[in-house]
């Protein structure tokens, strides 16, 4: 009981933030339990609530028609900040809280950039985290630039719910099409418009035709696509839903597979509708005959948190049912051995009560009904090991948070460490307190046998006295008054028993309410999983909404028997990491030592001159509309604020820890898919580069590679084994996450009139398990030219386009090309290559 008494006290002090888990349900074609949260930092304005309701109502009708009468928005909860004034229409939340937010209304990630975006760091077809709208966008101040809010909400909803991606690409706005013209990246290709450079300076603006860049052989950097205001094309919502005629997602027959859009790259050239129609939502519904009702809104105002700690000693968890009348909108933390078989009888009662149930199993068993109870009520579940490394119950309690608390009031974990000491009685280390935290700093030390000798020094070397020692609870703690000094704190603990288990936990809050603290959130991609679906560790580091790059991030995964696996998490855009430099650090977990439950804990450390803030606009952001073409003339929108993406803010030293909860895994995984295959050209060879996968996902070393080429992108994707194989005898795989380089001379391809050569790779492990086909790189067999429509009118002279390469027409089959143009990642290099032909 000593430990539990200590944790009741700890629960009040150590409530930490955890990643989002949506509570959305699809019920008879209608999406229910959508949570839209207004961030506490947003100034009070009731018009925001009105605009949210108007946006969702309009979006519901648009979504219904766009999905062929299949989906609509049924009910939505709007969570209102505690610091807004009272209103009789506002009710108390039940399961709804900030950490389950599907939509967040908050200031822009970067000043002046109000583009909506969806936090999405998983793969194609997998749900995103949340949608971010700014107050100015909702209040209609940015409608010219981003279009009507209702239509844009459907665009973002498709990101969030169905894991599709944008069909534009600001990094690659143009490409060389099969028509041998330069085209704007879009879907469908039937969307009409003109490509122009539009510049304003000193109150005057000029429009001119786009010049061709001598390096890329595509249009220059300042060239933009201006769509015609009046269109007839119906697709696509994931390109530019603000066009009046656009009411559909791109389908297989309208999808533009040539465009270098993120949808093509991430979803293997499938259209957005193909991804949506293969979703669980789609497969569990049929089209409706009658129109849907309008959405129902609940206005909920955040209120004081009520937490009840329940210790199950009876062998029966019926105590939850007995507490039901007192639980409306409150939370229950249930500690149990998990072996009770009567919990299923009170699941419905608990759900109706409005209580949030957090489940902590103190052993290796866990009744599925209790896990289900925590899920359906929006709670968390943990397996608390008695091993020292992960601090067991301390970390389980530490991961429980009120997501409705303002960020400046959240208690953040700076350190959490435990050791079992035998021959060496000392536990010595340091803790970094950075300038974004320091308020209410709290040191907690526990032991299993006898109170240790405790020494703690601040950054000036001053020893800190006055630890409060509770021998009965076997814990000692110290609260630093005011704001703790910035710098490195050192501690030394000497055990007085052999063996002895010691733990230390350090928490702190934001030092200044106007400066957001650095935060760390950790999660697994799934709670329960088995091969071949991979388990992925995610850790996101932010300051406010701005990603933190360059940190050292380590995950420790502990099995229920106490075996630990240490993984370095990476933000390199390869392997398990979907996007490079987005502040989300990822890694596959493959070292399964046993079937059953595992717990996750993550450490993050930012060293001076290495960690930095990203000043790039958020990924998966709404398309900025530069203007419209009306009656042949450009009606331009105000230019959006320019951001120097090369400028980065270097951060000071910092450290954070976070618990990622519990999960269950089984079986053995294959190598990971290669996702960053790229190509360049040197003389007569194509040079391929990619990040090496592992023997098991991105751990270890693959056994060998299979490289195939084809003149058809779909044949290579769908019939990889039948494509022409490249000789890889001299190619030996490197360790996972190493950079691979391989050169080869292209041979014959069978397709006549092919305009591109497409290249892909599979990796094979020592168990002969095969990875998925890599992303597909391509080599263009022509020099793209300016679109004739873009050269008229021409206010300024346009450079003469590069001549079209000639081909030998004396052959009826094969390829004989004197000029090969390599077109990958927006760059085109002209070289001389002779490809032999077959007669």
């Amino acid at each position: 009981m000593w430990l539990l008494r200590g944790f009741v006290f700890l629960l009040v002090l150590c409530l930490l933030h955890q990643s989002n888990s949506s509570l959305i349900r699809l019920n008879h074609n209608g999406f229910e339990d959508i949570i839209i949260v207004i961030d506490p930092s947003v100034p009070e304005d009731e018009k925001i609530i009105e605009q949210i309701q108007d946006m969702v109502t309009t979006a519901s009708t648009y979504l219904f028609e766009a999905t062929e009468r299949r989906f609509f928005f049924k009910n939505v909860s709007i969570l209102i900040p505690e610091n807004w004034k009272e209103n009789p229409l506002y009710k108390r939340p039940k399961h709804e809280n900030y950490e389950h937010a599907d939509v967040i209304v908050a200031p822009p990630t970067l000043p002046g950039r109000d583009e909506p975006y969806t936090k999405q760091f998983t793969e194609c077809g997998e749900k995103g985290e949340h949608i971010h709208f700014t107050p100015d966008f909702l209040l209609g101040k940015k409608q010219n630039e981003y279009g009507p809010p209702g239509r844009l909400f459907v665009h973002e909803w498709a990101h969030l719910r169905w894991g599709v991606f944008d069909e534009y690409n600001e990094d690659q706005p143009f490409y060389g099409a099969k028509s041998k013209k330069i085209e704007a990246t879009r879907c469908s290709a039937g969307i009409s418009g003109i490509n122009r450079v539009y510049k304003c300076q000193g109150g005057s603006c000029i429009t001119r035709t786009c010049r061709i860049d001598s390096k890329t052989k595509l249009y220059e950097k300042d060239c933009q696509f201006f769509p015609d205001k009046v269109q007839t094309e119906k697709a696509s919502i994931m390109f530019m839903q603000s066009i009046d005629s656009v009411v559909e997602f791109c389908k297989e027959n309208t999808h533009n597979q040539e465009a270098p859009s993120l949808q093509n790259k991430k979803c293997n050239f499938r259209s957005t509708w193909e991804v949506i129609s293969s979703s669980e939502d789609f497969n569990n519904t049929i089209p409706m005959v009658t129109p849907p009702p309008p959405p129902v809104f609940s206005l909920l105002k955040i209120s004081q948190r009520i937490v009840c700690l329940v210790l199950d000693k009876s062998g029966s968890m019926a105590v939850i049912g007995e507490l039901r009348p007192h639980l409306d909108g409150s939370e229950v933390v249930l500690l149990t051995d998990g072996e009770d078989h009567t919990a299923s009888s009170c699941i419905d009662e608990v759900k109706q009560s409005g209580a949030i149930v957090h489940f902590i199993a103190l052993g290796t068993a866990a009744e599925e009904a209790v896990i289900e109870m925590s899920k359906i009520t929006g709670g968390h579940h943990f397996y608390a090991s008695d091993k020292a490394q992960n601090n067991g119950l301390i970390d389980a309690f530490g991961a429980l948070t009120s997501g409705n608390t303002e960020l400046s009031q959240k208690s953040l974990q700076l350190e959490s460490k435990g050791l079992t000491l035998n021959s060496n009685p000392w536990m010595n280390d340091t803790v970094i307190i950075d300038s974004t935290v320091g308020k209410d700093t709290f040191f907690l030390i526990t032991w299993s046998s006898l109170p240790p000798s405790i020494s703690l020094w601040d950054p000036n070397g001053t020893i800190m006295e006055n630890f409060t020692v509770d021998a009965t609870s076997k814990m000692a703690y110290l609260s630093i008054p005011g704001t703790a000094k910035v710098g490195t704190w050192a501690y030394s603990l000497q055990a007085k028993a052999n063996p002895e288990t010691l733990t230390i936990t350090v928490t702190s809050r934001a030092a200044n309410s106007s400066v957001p603290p650095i935060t760390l959130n950790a999660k697994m991609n799934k709670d329960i999983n088995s091969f071949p679906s991979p388990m992925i560790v995610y850790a996101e580091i932010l300051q406010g909404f701005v990603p933190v790059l360059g940190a050292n991030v380590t995950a420790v995964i502990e099995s229920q028997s106490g075996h630990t696996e240490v993984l370095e998490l990476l933000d390199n855009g390869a392997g398990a990491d979907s996007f490079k430099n987005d502040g989300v650090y990822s890694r596959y977990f493959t070292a399964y030592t046993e079937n059953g439950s595992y717990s996750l804990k993550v450490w993050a450390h930012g060293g001076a001159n290495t960690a930095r803030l990203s000043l790039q606009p958020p990924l998966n952001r709404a398309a900025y509309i530069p203007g419209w073409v009306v009656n042949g003339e450009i009606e331009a929108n105000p230019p959006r604020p320019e951001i120097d993406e090369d400028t980065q803010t270097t951060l000071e030293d910092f450290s954070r820890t976070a618990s990622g909860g519990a999960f269950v895994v089984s079986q053995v995984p294959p190598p990971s898919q290669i996702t960053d295959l790229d190509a360049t050209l040197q003389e007569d060879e194509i040079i391929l580069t990619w990040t090496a996968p592992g023997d098991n996902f991105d751990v270890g070393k693959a056994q060998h590679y299979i490289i195939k080429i084809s003149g058809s992108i779909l044949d290579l994707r769908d019939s990889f084994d039948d494509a022409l194989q490249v000789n890889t005898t001299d190619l030996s795989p490197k360790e996972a996450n190493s950079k691979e380089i391989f050169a080869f001379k292209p041979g014959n391809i069978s397709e006549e009139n092919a305009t591109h050569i497409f290249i892909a790779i599979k990796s094979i492990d020592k168990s002969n398990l095969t990875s998925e086909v890599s992303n597909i790189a391509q080599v263009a067999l022509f020099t793209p030219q300016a679109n004739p429509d873009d050269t008229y009118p021409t206010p300024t002279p346009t450079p003469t386009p590069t001549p079209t390469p000639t081909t030998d027409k004396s052959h009826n089959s094969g390829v004989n090309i004197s000029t090969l143009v390599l077109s990958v990642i927006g760059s085109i290099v002209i070289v001389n290559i002779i490809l032999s032909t077959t007669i």
Side-chain angles (χ1 to χ4, degrees):
M1 288 299 294
W2 66 267
L3 199 56
L4 294 176
R5 284 197 298 270
F7 287 140
V8 174
F9 172 72
L10 179 66
L11 181 61
V12 181
L13 295 167
C14 301
L15 298 172
L16 308 178
H17 183 68
Q18 188 170 353
S19 294
N20 162 68
S21 178
S22 177
L23 301 180
I24 295 172
R25 296 182 302 118
L26 180 61
N27 183 10
H28 294 96
N29 300 84
F31 289 110
E32 298 182 334
D33 299 334
I34 301 168
I35 300 174
I36 299 179
V37 170
I38 301 175
D39 192 86
S41 63
V42 174
E44 184 168 357
D45 188 343
E46 291 187 356
K47 290 183 179 179
I48 293 176
I49 299 174
E50 296 172 6
Q51 292 301 315
I52 291 173
Q53 293 172 322
D54 289 345
M55 175 184 71
V56 176
T57 301
T58 303
S60 185
T61 302
Y62 189 57
L63 178 68
F64 182 69
E65 296 299 334
T67 56
E68 300 179 350
R69 305 175 67 85
R70 196 175 287 265
F71 303 117
F72 68 98
F73 298 124
K74 193 171 186 179
N75 65 59
V76 177
S77 296
I78 302 176
L79 221 56
I80 298 162
E82 188 175 9
N83 56 2
W84 286 28
K85 66 177 182 288
E86 295 293 337
N87 186 311
L89 296 177
Y90 301 162
K91 306 300 181 184
R92 176 183 172 86
K94 292 185 177 180
H95 303 147
E96 305 86 358
N97 58 44
Y98 197 103
E99 70 178 76
H100 297 299
D102 304 297
V103 180
I104 295 175
V105 180
T109 300
L110 299 173
R113 296 293 293 256
D114 285 274
E115 57 258 84
Y117 68 91
T118 300
K119 176 73 71 174
Q120 187 179 12
F121 51 74
T122 50
E123 292 300 324
C124 180
E126 297 183 7
K127 294 179 176 65
E129 296 294 295
H130 63 257
I131 298 168
H132 184 135
F133 291 128
T134 69
D136 279 357
F137 170 78
L138 288 175
L139 293 172
K141 299 178 182 180
K142 303 293 179 180
Q143 184 162 322
N144 287 341
E145 293 92 329
Y146 299 107
R151 284 176 166 240
L152 195 141
F153 184 42
V154 173
H155 174 104
E156 300 301 333
W157 182 264
H159 280 303
L160 179 75
R161 185 68 185 179
W162 298 307
V164 298
F165 293 88
D166 293 321
E167 290 170 330
Y168 45 84
N169 189 336
E170 291 188 10
D171 294 327
Q172 294 176 258
F174 299 100
Y175 67 99
K178 289 182 179 179
S179 62
K180 300 185 179 181
K181 298 177 183 178
I182 301 175
E183 295 284 356
T185 300
R186 65 197 190 280
C187 191
S188 69
I191 296 291
S192 61
I194 60 174
N195 304 311
R196 292 289 185 271
V197 172
Y198 181 84
K199 284 285 190 179
C200 296
Q201 187 173 8
S204 63
C205 301
I206 62 169
T207 304
R208 63 172 175 82
T209 54
C210 301
R211 303 186 181 104
I212 296 179
D213 185 282
S214 60
K215 294 182 179 179
T216 67
K217 298 300 185 293
L218 299 174
Y219 288 137
E220 60 190 297
K221 180 181 178 182
D222 293 331
C223 186
Q224 299 181 91
F225 175 72
F226 290 84
D228 290 328
K229 183 68 173 177
V230 178
Q231 304 264 355
T232 58
E233 287 292 323
K234 294 183 177 181
S236 169
I237 290 172
M238 296 311 292
F239 171 63
M240 197 168 285
Q241 74 292 327
S242 53
I243 296 174
D244 290 342
S245 65
V246 170
V247 292
E248 297 177 353
F249 294 95
C250 256
K251 299 180 180 178
E252 189 172 6
N253 63 330
T254 58
H255 182 56
N256 182 4
Q257 293 178 327
E258 292 185 74
S261 66
L262 206 55
Q263 172 66 21
N264 276 335
K265 292 181 179 181
K266 289 293 185 181
C267 296
N268 204 16
F269 300 93
R270 289 186 296 161
S271 68
T272 53
W273 186 247
E274 287 178 271
V275 175
I276 293 170
S277 59
S278 64
S279 69
E280 183 180 357
D281 290 345
F282 196 94
N283 293 327
N284 290 335
T285 56
I286 59 174
M288 296 173 62
V289 176
T290 59
V296 175
F297 296 92
S298 300
L299 305 183
L300 309 176
K301 189 170 186 292
I302 296 168
S303 56
Q304 186 177 9
R305 188 184 190 194
I306 300 174
V307 181
C308 177
L309 178 65
V310 177
L311 174 61
D312 173 31
K313 298 177 62 179
S314 64
S316 170
M317 287 174 285
V319 64
I320 294 293
E322 296 173 8
L323 288 172
R324 189 181 70 255
H326 310 286
L327 295 180
D328 188 20
S330 302
E331 296 174 67
V332 173
V333 180
L334 175 63
L335 280 77
T336 176
D337 59 12
E339 296 181 350
D340 180 84
H341 299 290
T342 64
S344 58
S345 64
C346 60
I347 284 183
D348 290 338
E349 292 179 278
V350 173
K351 181 180 178 181
Q352 294 300 320
S353 75
I356 299 172
V357 178
H358 306 291
F359 166 58
I360 303 176
L362 300 176
T364 58
E367 172 64 22
E368 288 187 7
V370 186
I371 298 176
E372 180 65 18
M373 187 185 296
S374 68
K375 286 183 177 180
I376 65 175
T377 62
H380 301 285
H381 59 279
F382 303 89
Y383 297 94
S385 166
D386 60 357
K387 306 298 179 181
Q389 288 84 350
N390 279 348
N391 280 12
L393 283 173
I394 294 178
D395 287 335
F397 275 115
L400 301 178
T401 179
S402 169
N404 298 335
T405 304
E406 189 174 355
L407 182 59
S408 64
Q409 298 301 314
K410 292 183 184 294
S411 185
L412 307 175
Q413 199 172 71
L414 310 185
E415 176 64 293
S416 175
K417 182 180 180 180
L419 287 177
T420 296
L421 304 172
N422 294 295
S423 56
N424 182 1
W426 294 97
M427 179 175 168
N428 305 323
D429 212 332
T430 59
V431 178
I432 298 171
I433 297 180
D434 59 275
S435 62
T436 70
V437 293
K439 187 178 179 182
D440 297 331
T441 302
F442 185 77
F443 289 79
L444 172 69
I445 295 163
T446 70
W447 57 89
S448 60
S449 299
L450 296 174
S453 171
I454 302 172
S455 299
L456 176 66
W457 296 269
D458 73 7
N460 295 335
T462 304
I463 192 165
M464 308 301 293
E465 308 283 357
N466 302 323
F467 266 87
T468 299
V469 178
D470 186 337
T472 304
S473 297
K474 297 185 177 180
M475 63 189 296
Y477 53 89
L478 174 65
S479 182
I480 306 298
T483 302
K485 292 180 179 178
V486 174
T488 301
W489 293 60
Y491 63 85
S492 179
L493 310 180
Q494 183 182 17
K496 299 299 183 181
N498 187 4
E500 177 66 278
T501 298
L502 302 178
T503 75
I504 181 169
T505 304
V506 184
T507 62
S508 190
R509 302 183 195 273
N512 187 330
S513 60
S514 63
V515 178
I518 296 169
T519 58
L520 169 66
N521 300 319
K523 60 177 282 187
M524 300 297 296
N525 64 325
K526 298 178 182 178
D527 292 328
I528 300 174
N529 192 56
S530 61
F531 175 79
S533 182
M535 285 301 292
I536 303 175
V537 186
Y538 293 116
E540 183 177 31
I541 311 177
L542 301 171
Q543 185 173 10
F545 292 102
V546 180
V548 174
L549 312 181
N552 296 316
V553 185
T554 303
V556 174
I557 297 174
E558 183 179 18
S559 69
Q560 58 191 19
S561 66
H563 177 82
T564 60
E565 181 72 19
V566 180
L567 295 174
E568 179 188 3
L569 307 187
L570 304 173
D571 186 13
N572 62 353
D577 194 65
S578 296
F579 298 99
K580 184 177 181 179
N581 290 340
D582 64 347
V584 178
Y585 300 74
S586 317
R587 198 71 181 269
Y588 286 113
F589 169 60
T590 62
Y592 307 152
T593 57
E594 59 194 78
N595 292 333
S597 60
Y598 292 74
S599 62
L600 167 66
K601 187 171 180 178
V602 174
W603 280 265
H605 176 262
N609 301 319
T610 57
R612 60 201 186 278
L613 290 178
S614 170
L615 297 183
Q616 294 184 358
L619 297 169
N620 303 312
R621 57 189 179 272
Y624 167 79
I625 305 167
W628 301 96
V629 178
V630 180
N631 297 323
E633 299 292 330
I634 292 177
E635 294 183 358
N637 286 322
R640 58 182 172 182
E642 293 295 328
I643 294 176
D644 185 356
E645 298 183 7
D646 294 329
T647 302
Q648 296 178 334
T649 302
T650 302
L651 297 175
E652 62 197 295
D653 284 4
F654 71 87
S655 63
R656 298 290 187 273
T657 67
S659 171
F663 58 96
V664 178
V665 294
S666 61
Q667 301 186 26
V668 180
S672 65
Q673 178 191 30
I674 293 167
T675 60
D676 61 347
L677 179 63
D678 197 0
T680 56
L681 205 77
Q682 292 182 5
E683 298 180 353
D684 62 344
E685 292 184 322
I686 294 177
I687 311 298
L688 300 180
T689 62
W690 67 93
T691 301
D695 182 65
N696 293 328
F697 288 127
D698 60 358
V699 177
K701 184 167 64 175
Q703 191 73 9
H704 65 274
Y705 295 115
I706 299 175
I707 301 177
K708 297 283 185 104
I709 62 174
S710 174
S712 166
I713 193 170
L714 295 183
D715 287 349
L716 188 59
R717 183 192 71 176
D718 300 333
S719 303
F720 178 88
D721 293 340
D722 297 332
L724 182 64
Q725 185 162 339
V726 175
N727 187 338
T728 58
T729 304
D730 297 330
L731 176 59
S732 297
K734 297 180 181 178
E735 287 290 332
N737 295 298
S738 301
K739 183 60 67 176
E740 296 276 25
I741 301 176
F742 178 70
F744 72 97
K745 294 181 179 180
N748 295 343
I749 56 173
S750 59
E751 291 81 356
E752 292 188 27
N753 302 317
T755 59
H756 294 72
I757 293 178
F758 300 97
I759 311 161
I761 305 180
K762 281 186 177 182
S763 53
I764 315 296
D765 71 5
K766 60 179 178 289
S767 301
N768 211 32
L769 295 174
T770 306
S771 74
E772 295 182 34
V773 178
S774 71
N775 67 295
I776 299 176
Q778 57 181 288
V779 173
L781 305 180
F782 61 89
T783 302
Q785 299 185 19
N787 192 322
D789 294 338
D790 295 331
T791 60
Y792 177 82
T794 175
T796 57
T798 303
T800 302
T802 304
T804 304
T806 59
T807 60
D808 184 349
K809 298 182 180 179
S810 61
H811 300 284
N812 295 322
S813 62
V815 182
N816 188 336
I817 301 170
S818 60
T819 304
L820 177 67
V821 182
L822 185 69
S823 174
V824 181
I825 315 296
S827 62
I828 300 178
V829 182
I830 301 179
V831 297
N832 291 322
I833 291 184
I834 304 298
L835 299 183
S836 59
T837 63
T838 56
I839 304 300

